[in-house]
Amino acid sequence: MASDLTPVYADGPWTHRDVPANGARFHVAELGDGPLALFLHGFPQFWWTWREQLVAFAEAGYRAVAMDLRGIGGSDKPPRGYDPLTATMDVTGVIRALGESNAVLIGHDWGAALAWTAATMRPKAVRRLVIVGAAHPRQLRSALLTSPSQIAASKHIFAAQRPLQAEHGLTKDDGAAVARMLESWSGPGWPEEDVVRRYRDAIQIPGVAHSSMEYFRWQMRSLMRPDGLRYHQRMRTLTEVPTLHLHGALDTVLLDSTARGSGGSVNAPYRWRLLEGLGHFPQEEAPKLFTNEVLGWLQDEEPDR
């Protein structure tokens, strides 16, 4: 069992450091100089999911930074704050702590929900928005209430609601559950054994399994609780940030039928791309294809709707 942060501090051309934001400390990996591109990981991963993009974006002239979200990887693991408003303040706080006023936000899975939230509620902090393997939060909320296929695909969210039992399920047998998720949620040919090993080790860092489950617990509680209803009410505001929405056609955990239509929440240029042959992790399953798609869109000064 991984008892330290060894999985987090992967060697590479990037620099590891901690930055303070929103009353907590966040681990980031950073490479390059230029406009800030901030990468936000999803579940069950951490900053390392963006390792290929850090290099490619730095070579393309960006200051590429991937952060560990609250409770994950090398970041602080406080007992509270796993709702999207607090976690989004973490993200915008990291942007300021890095000495920048705004960033290109690239978010996957849960990180994409935070990116959507930042672009909607703090639009001046987001120059461009890239959403990967996710739906707009209001669209996902609707699907979790009304779509039998998305409800069936979201069994991990429902399983997360069981205190202690869910955490134990993630870490037992040397993190075997994470290996099963990565393999069943991805397209063919991924992941490699060394990739699985790193994610299995990372979920066993003390506090990470619990923090991961807290994000999903808020997601279910928010369906009917006042704080959740207020959040989704605020998310009715249309996003005024140009948005690229990428989704794996073989994604079995966040269905493309759920993600489609998220452009209705964007009052700005919006581009939807369904990536054939890929599952829930396109940034790792086909990193070159993914990166070329994102960089090409970013270089377009007037992206199409």
Side-chain angles (χ1 to χ4, degrees), residues 40-282:
L40 310 175
H41 66 83
F43 174 80
Q45 300 169 304
F46 62 106
W47 77 266
W48 191 70
T49 188
W50 304 111
R51 59 197 178 279
E52 300 279 355
Q53 285 74 40
L54 288 181
V55 175
F57 271 65
E59 291 175 349
Y62 285 89
R63 181 186 182 190
V65 178
M67 68 179 282
D68 283 331
L69 300 182
R70 171 180 293 250
I72 310 298
S75 292
D76 278 352
K77 300 165 182 66
R80 290 176 294 278
Y82 297 93
D83 61 282
L85 288 177
T86 302
T88 296
M89 290 174 63
D90 296 342
V91 172
T92 55
V94 165
I95 293 173
R96 291 192 300 272
L98 292 170
E100 305 287 350
S101 59
N102 55 47
V104 174
L105 276 189
I106 301 102
H108 171 249
D109 186 83
W110 182 253
L114 304 186
W116 275 119
T117 306
T120 303
M121 299 186 184
R122 297 288 186 271
K124 291 183 179 179
V126 186
R127 287 200 312 280
R128 294 277 191 103
L129 177 65
V130 181
I131 300 297
V132 188
H136 186 275
R138 284 181 57 82
Q139 195 135 324
L140 178 57
R141 178 182 187 274
S142 176
L144 287 174
L145 290 170
T146 64
S147 168
S149 56
Q150 185 58 62
I151 291 169
S154 302
K155 57 187 178 182
H156 65 292
I157 299 178
F158 296 96
Q161 308 309 308
R162 298 172 296 187
L164 301 179
Q165 188 177 354
E167 286 87 338
H168 177 66
L170 277 179
T171 58
K172 72 176 183 180
D173 300 329
D174 193 24
V178 168
R180 290 193 296 271
M181 289 174 187
L182 294 172
E183 291 163 3
S184 63
W185 294 355
S186 64
W190 189 87
E192 298 84 1
E193 186 175 341
D194 61 325
V195 171
V196 174
R197 180 71 266 164
R198 189 171 292 271
Y199 287 126
R200 290 177 72 163
D201 288 345
I203 202 67
Q204 297 178 77
I205 294 170
V208 169
H210 175 70
S211 299
S212 300
M213 296 299 91
E214 286 294 280
Y215 284 106
F216 291 124
R217 286 166 185 155
W218 188 92
Q219 191 170 36
M220 290 306 298
R221 293 194 300 261
S222 75
L223 294 178
M224 296 301 174
R225 264 186 11 181
D227 60 333
L229 296 174
R230 284 194 299 271
Y231 166 72
H232 288 289
Q233 180 71 19
R234 293 181 68 182
M235 288 300 290
R236 292 180 65 179
T237 302
L238 298 182
T239 300
E240 301 283 350
V241 178
T243 302
L244 172 65
H245 197 165
L246 301 176
H247 205 87
L250 302 181
D251 194 331
T252 58
V253 64
L254 198 293
L255 306 180
D256 71 276
S257 57
T258 299
R260 284 182 187 272
S262 294
S265 296
V266 181
N267 186 34
Y270 171 86
R271 182 182 297 178
W272 162 267
R273 287 286 185 270
L274 190 65
L275 304 176
E276 297 296 335
L278 301 182
H280 189 57
F281 311 99

